[in-house]
Amino acid sequence: MTVMTASRRWSTHVPGAAAAAIALAVFVAGWKALVVLTGYPPFILPSPELVLERFVSAWGDGTIGPHALRTLYEVALGFGLGAGLAVVVGYVLARLPLAERLLSPYLVAAQATPILALAPLLVMWFGPGMTAKIVISALIVFFPVAIATMVGVRAVDARLLELARSLRATRWQVVTTLEIPAALPAIFGGLRVGVTLAVVGAIVGEWAGADRGLGLLINLARGSLFDIPLLFATLLTIALLGIALYAIVVLIERTLVGAR
Amino acid sequence: MSGQMGAIGRIELRDIAVSFASGAGSSSGASDGARLIALDGVDLAIEPGQVVALIGPNGSGKSTLLRVVAGLLRPDRGTALLDGNPVDGPDPRVGLVFQEPRLLAWRTTASNIAYPLELAGVDRATRRARVAELLTIVGLEAAAVQVPSQLSGGMRQRAALARTLALRPEVLLLDEPFSALDELTRERLNLELLAITAHTPTTILLVTHSVQEAIFLADRVVVLSARPGRVVADIAVDLPRPRSLGDLDAAVVSATARTVRAHLGEAAA
Ligand SMILES: Nc1ncnc2c1ncn2[C@@H]1O[C@H](COP(=O)(O)OP(=O)(O)O)[C@@H](O)[C@H]1O
Ligand SMILES: [Mg+2]
């Protein structure tokens, strides 16, 4: 009883930012403890402060910046392209049962094929520039967003559709004023998953062959440079990039979906 | 709005019959044999400006009949005429208030009321003026920027009514519009409805479950039989207008109520 009230008070009174800070502190402390207890050398497991130091210096001297910028471009374009197409296709799947029957085997097969296996092929086709990464990113984003859109549009209340019909709404008005707004919470569910996958897609693509990007930097840090703290600093950058993009999606969701 | 000839908003139903494919999985295979007949030969004429209450057992096809008049459903047989022309789809002259408010959850009250105007391509300034007017009519000025989840049941129904009134329909179809509300709210909304339609001549076809409500609001009470629905009685209400809640105690009212109930009893049997 007391435990329950205490935990409820805890969860309602500690704001999100404070909770995140505590979680971060626990994570860093655990990491530090592991380094101290095991005594691993920095090229196996560098300490948190060493990684932070390298993170700051690598951002300061322009080691990470250009790579991060390239990855950000690829993610943004891949996500935009993949999610945009997915919303259109998801809508068609929802409203044309025949399309779903014809297309879903291909969609599932594409989703089931490991992106790791596809990436080298796409890099071979499109070369080491941005195109292959954008395509990979878009591919990996596509499925969750398309399915979320399909489910969301199918769930639109038939009574609202009848209302729109009684008001003589055109097909396009029904899409823009009813179906999309009604499906928006579901679509954003897909976008949240999609945006983190978009980062994974770009990194995997760069890993398979690139002239620039955080995936390439990981390969460099671990290989020719043999700078393991830089490798960790790059991982940290990727994680922060993912968190930032996710937060942007959530922010847009809050403004668009708002209080219903 | 256009023309005050008094000849606007005449509804005529001739031999309306509607059936539905019955049972689950009706889309595939043997559906021809088992059809559910909802309406079978409904004849009804409503003069411009008249208020008609439609009453009948559950499933007697009241909602179905309104959907036919609203142009949302094509009858299997018979014709629905509006001012002498066959109804062949939703018509801007006809406004339908559904049994549930059907508000868009992501729009404010004002924006929900503006929705039909938006769809009809009415410009922003005109929209704003009309919405302000409607908010006043239904008494929702204070709730203009709230979303449906913040409104009470009565407020939602009033918003739905205002939305339907936005396009100034000549014919108003009301499907148990206030049935989900408590007695007091309902009486108040009925009074408001009378006041609203008093200064804009409107033909009204109203579905209700309450004999009292039917008599209070209508010039005629039409009783539908149990499925398949057919008109079994058409009873004139001899109560002068304007009416007030006190009129419900008049002797005519109880006499009319007795007649309606007698026919309802037959209808249900
Ligand atoms: N779209 C539909 N599909 C199948 N059956 C329907 C449909 N709409 C109504 N019905 C059936 O038609 C009958 C009349 O329905 P309805 O008009 O809603 O009755 P009421 O409004 O008088 O209660 C009911 O038996 C109902 O189940
Ligand atoms: Mg009904």
Side-chain angles (χ1 to χ4, degrees):
Chain A
M1 186 64 202
T2 28
V3 176
M4 222 178 77
T5 20
S7 74
R8 184 174 303 155
R9 191 168 300 152
W10 174 255
S11 63
T12 50
H13 287 274
V14 177
I22 292 167
L24 180 66
V26 170
F27 174 74
V28 172
W31 177 1
K32 179 68 187 172
L34 197 65
V35 171
V36 172
L37 291 176
T38 59
Y40 284 137
F43 62 85
I44 302 272
L45 182 64
S47 68
E49 64 271 20
L50 185 59
V51 169
L52 185 65
E53 195 188 306
R54 192 70 187 95
F55 179 81
V56 171
S57 71
W59 269 99
D61 64 14
T63 308
I64 294 183
H67 294 288
L69 204 61
R70 167 64 76 86
T71 303
L72 181 62
Y73 271 148
E74 292 163 358
V75 171
L77 288 175
F79 178 69
L81 192 73
L85 266 172
V87 168
V88 175
V89 171
Y91 181 85
V92 172
L93 292 178
R95 288 300 176 221
L96 296 177
L98 182 66
E100 198 208 348
R101 249 173 287 149
L102 289 178
L103 291 180
S104 61
Y106 299 98
L107 288 178
V108 174
Q111 176 67 9
T113 309
I115 206 76
L116 269 174
L118 278 180
L121 193 64
L122 290 167
V123 171
M124 195 178 80
W125 287 347
F126 293 107
M130 302 222 298
T131 315
K133 288 77 184 178
I134 293 167
V135 170
I136 294 166
S137 208
L139 259 180
I140 200 171
V141 164
F142 185 83
F143 191 76
V145 179
I147 297 301
T149 305
M150 182 185 85
V151 171
V153 171
R154 278 216 183 125
V156 175
D157 193 340
R159 293 174 303 177
L160 294 184
L161 294 171
E162 193 187 39
L163 165 75
R165 199 153 70 81
S166 80
L167 298 173
R168 290 166 307 120
T170 63
R171 184 87 212 100
W172 182 244
Q173 283 178 327
V174 171
V175 174
T176 55
T177 67
L178 194 57
E179 291 177 312
I180 296 296
L184 218 50
I187 294 173
F188 268 100
L191 292 179
R192 284 182 185 220
V193 177
V195 77
T196 54
L197 288 176
V199 177
V200 172
I203 301 290
V204 167
E206 290 166 357
W207 184 283
D211 48 18
R212 190 176 279 183
L214 293 172
L216 171 72
L217 190 58
I218 287 181
N219 269 340
L220 292 178
R222 151 192 92 146
S224 54
L225 299 175
F226 199 65
D227 184 345
I228 300 306
L230 177 62
L231 171 68
F232 274 75
T234 308
L235 288 179
L236 180 60
T237 305
I238 294 170
L240 290 176
L241 183 67
I243 291 171
L245 291 172
Y246 184 83
I248 290 173
V249 170
V250 171
L251 212 69
I252 296 173
E253 179 181 350
R254 288 224 180 111
T255 16
L256 287 185
V257 175
R260 287 196 173 178
Chain B
M1 261 194 327
S2 57
Q4 301 289 60
M5 312 272 296
I8 286 171
R10 183 172 200 279
I11 301 172
E12 192 176 345
L13 304 176
R14 288 187 193 150
D15 193 31
I16 299 286
V18 175
S19 66
F20 297 105
S22 67
S26 52
S27 58
S28 62
S31 60
D32 222 46
R35 285 191 73 85
L36 183 150
I37 300 170
L39 293 171
D40 192 13
V42 171
D43 289 294
L44 187 64
I46 305 175
E47 298 309 319
Q50 221 174 25
V51 181
V52 171
L54 195 60
I55 198 161
N58 268 329
S60 57
K62 305 182 293 295
S63 299
T64 303
L65 195 62
L66 286 201
R67 290 174 67 219
V68 169
V69 179
L72 291 171
L73 191 67
R74 202 174 286 278
D76 299 349
R77 192 182 78 218
T79 37
L81 301 171
L82 176 64
D83 293 336
N85 303 311
V87 172
D88 66 346
D91 189 304
R93 289 171 297 175
V94 179
L96 173 57
V97 180
F98 296 94
Q99 190 165 347
E100 330 77 31
R102 303 197 189 185
L103 299 173
L104 306 187
W106 53 92
R107 284 175 175 248
T108 62
T109 306
S111 159
N112 262 295
I113 295 172
Y115 187 53
L117 302 168
E118 248 175 81
L119 294 179
V122 173
D123 68 88
R124 186 182 287 269
T126 315
R127 242 159 44 204
R128 187 168 297 178
R130 179 72 181 136
V131 168
E133 203 173 284
L134 288 160
L135 283 168
T136 313
I137 290 176
V138 297
L140 285 177
E141 303 100 317
V145 296
Q146 290 185 309
V147 290
S149 63
Q150 296 171 305
L151 304 180
S152 70
M155 292 162 96
R156 283 180 213 165
Q157 288 290 14
R158 276 186 279 164
L161 178 62
R163 177 181 61 195
T164 301
L165 294 174
L167 290 172
R168 303 178 199 274
E170 292 150 13
V171 173
L172 201 52
L173 308 171
L174 302 152
D175 195 352
E176 304 184 38
F178 310 132
S179 62
L181 308 177
D182 63 88
E183 191 73 26
L184 283 175
T185 315
R186 187 175 169 146
E187 277 180 356
R188 216 186 56 238
L189 288 180
N190 281 337
L191 282 173
E192 283 177 20
L193 186 66
L194 284 185
I196 291 163
T197 52
H199 46 78
T200 42
T202 313
T203 308
I204 299 182
L205 179 55
L206 156 108
V207 173
T208 176
H209 269 304
S210 155
V211 175
Q212 285 249 327
E213 188 173 82
I215 293 170
F216 179 61
L217 291 173
D219 302 308
R220 283 159 63 198
V221 179
V222 170
V223 181
L224 279 193
S225 65
R227 208 174 65 222
R230 226 172 276 173
V231 176
V232 293
D234 190 338
I235 301 144
V237 180
D238 198 10
L239 194 63
R241 293 183 190 270
R243 298 172 182 175
S244 68
L245 284 175
D247 295 338
L248 284 174
D249 301 325
V252 227
V253 173
S254 43
T256 314
R258 252 194 315 278
T259 318
V260 173
R261 288 213 173 88
H263 286 292
L264 264 180
E266 286 167 30

